Amino acid sequence: MTNPNRPAALITGASAGIGKSFAVHLARTGHDLVLVARRADRLEALAEELCEVHDIVVEVLPADLETAEGVATVEARLAEGDPIDLFVNNAGFAARGAVGALDPMALEAMVRVNVLAFARLAHAAAARMRAEGRGTIINVGSAMLFMQFAENAGYGATKAFVAYFTRTMQLDLADSGVRVQLLIPGVIATDFHAIAGNAIENFPPERVMQADDLVVASLRALEMEEPVCIPSLPDIRDWDALVTAEARIAPNASRDRPAERYH
């Protein structure tokens, strides 16, 4: 049971990488934690370390988010357990391959985690937090949103879903007391890339950010009330320009006749 006198955070994908960095940083700043991942042994080891160092309560919640049972377990914790002040919706992985060549079972598993589990858990957290009139949700996307690379259609599309879903959540939860951040990491120095069949050494060092720096930027963006955090973007006006371009296209995306160039 979390301590009602301390803020509590639930983090998916908490056993490694970005999720683990969020856990360590939030423990350091006095949060009780609910840690979610498939690998119970890693969660238990992390929980023991954080409890000992920071004197907080850490709840371990093993769940495989590829499965309906795993998603239901975390949904129930968000909906019915002790209140969660911060939900870090981070779990995800990349299965890469050309369209028509990628293993269809790997594609399906990725969609289950990156899209279906992501959306179900975002929904559960939003419903509970809206009812309580407070809370924060961080949805972790990817800079692949802005790029198209061969053999990346599946992963890139799942992260495009995260971005659209999150931006619309922000509209749905306006004036509810619930904050929603879209966090867009670039290349982060974690084992994510090795699991996806790549290596961090294949990226130029100037393109690779440390996970701890990403987490600090995300939490600082919350303080600054930036709804979208792209940690390495020098000027947020570049994002604003993208939103402005979308607004210019939108009215003309649905008209009663084709544009003149098609006549």
Side-chain angles (χ1 to χ4, degrees):
M1 179 177 294
T2 55
N3 186 330
N5 297 317
R6 286 195 293 261
L10 188 152
I11 306 164
T12 64
S15 62
I18 293 171
K20 183 177 180 179
S21 289
F22 265 109
V24 170
H25 188 90
L26 292 169
R28 192 183 303 133
T29 55
H31 288 70
D32 286 344
L33 300 174
V34 182
L35 304 180
V36 177
R38 289 181 299 128
R39 295 169 286 194
D41 56 338
R42 288 196 179 189
L43 291 180
E44 293 286 359
L46 178 59
E48 182 177 351
E49 175 188 343
L50 295 178
C51 287
E52 181 178 341
V53 173
H54 301 289
D55 191 27
I56 58 170
V57 176
V58 182
E59 178 183 339
V60 168
L61 189 63
D64 183 353
L65 297 183
E66 286 185 31
T67 69
E69 295 79 10
V71 173
T73 295
V74 184
E75 281 180 319
R77 177 61 183 82
L78 287 165
E80 302 163 9
D82 294 339
I84 295 298
D85 301 280
L86 171 61
F87 172 43
V88 183
N89 201 358
N90 166 69
F93 70 95
R96 294 195 169 102
V99 176
L102 172 63
D103 176 359
M105 297 305 294
L107 175 62
E108 180 175 331
M110 179 174 61
V111 170
R112 287 185 181 278
V113 175
N114 294 12
V115 174
L116 297 178
F118 159 82
R120 290 272 298 268
L121 298 183
H123 175 76
R128 174 73 179 273
M129 290 178 178
R130 183 197 288 274
E132 295 175 349
R134 63 184 184 87
T136 300
I137 298 170
I138 298 174
N139 288 334
V140 181
S142 169
M144 293 310 306
L145 175 66
F146 308 116
M147 310 170 196
Q148 289 78 45
F149 289 118
E151 302 188 352
N152 201 56
Y155 177 71
T158 66
K159 291 304 183 177
F161 179 92
V162 169
Y164 187 95
F165 195 97
T166 303
R167 293 174 68 188
T168 305
M169 277 184 74
Q170 291 168 342
L171 299 176
D172 291 342
L173 293 170
D175 302 320
S176 69
V178 182
R179 298 182 299 173
V180 183
Q181 179 190 93
L182 172 59
L183 175 59
I184 304 181
V187 180
I188 307 299
T190 70
D191 62 359
F192 173 92
H193 305 282
I195 294 171
N198 202 342
I200 200 69
E201 293 77 18
N202 292 335
F203 297 94
E206 66 272 15
R207 294 280 307 282
V208 180
M209 182 178 290
Q210 297 302 309
D212 287 345
D213 291 334
L214 173 80
V215 169
V216 170
S218 170
L219 298 176
R220 176 64 179 135
L222 287 175
E223 294 174 355
M224 298 169 65
E225 300 185 353
E226 289 187 1
V228 178
C229 176
I230 308 173
S232 56
L233 184 69
D235 192 338
I236 194 62
R237 288 176 296 184
D238 291 339
W239 171 264
D240 296 336
L242 174 62
V243 174
T244 298
E246 291 176 336
R248 290 183 61 189
I249 292 170
N252 291 309
S254 180
R255 295 291 190 186
D256 60 349
R257 64 192 66 192
E260 286 300 320
R261 68 180 180 280
Y262 297 125
H263 286 243

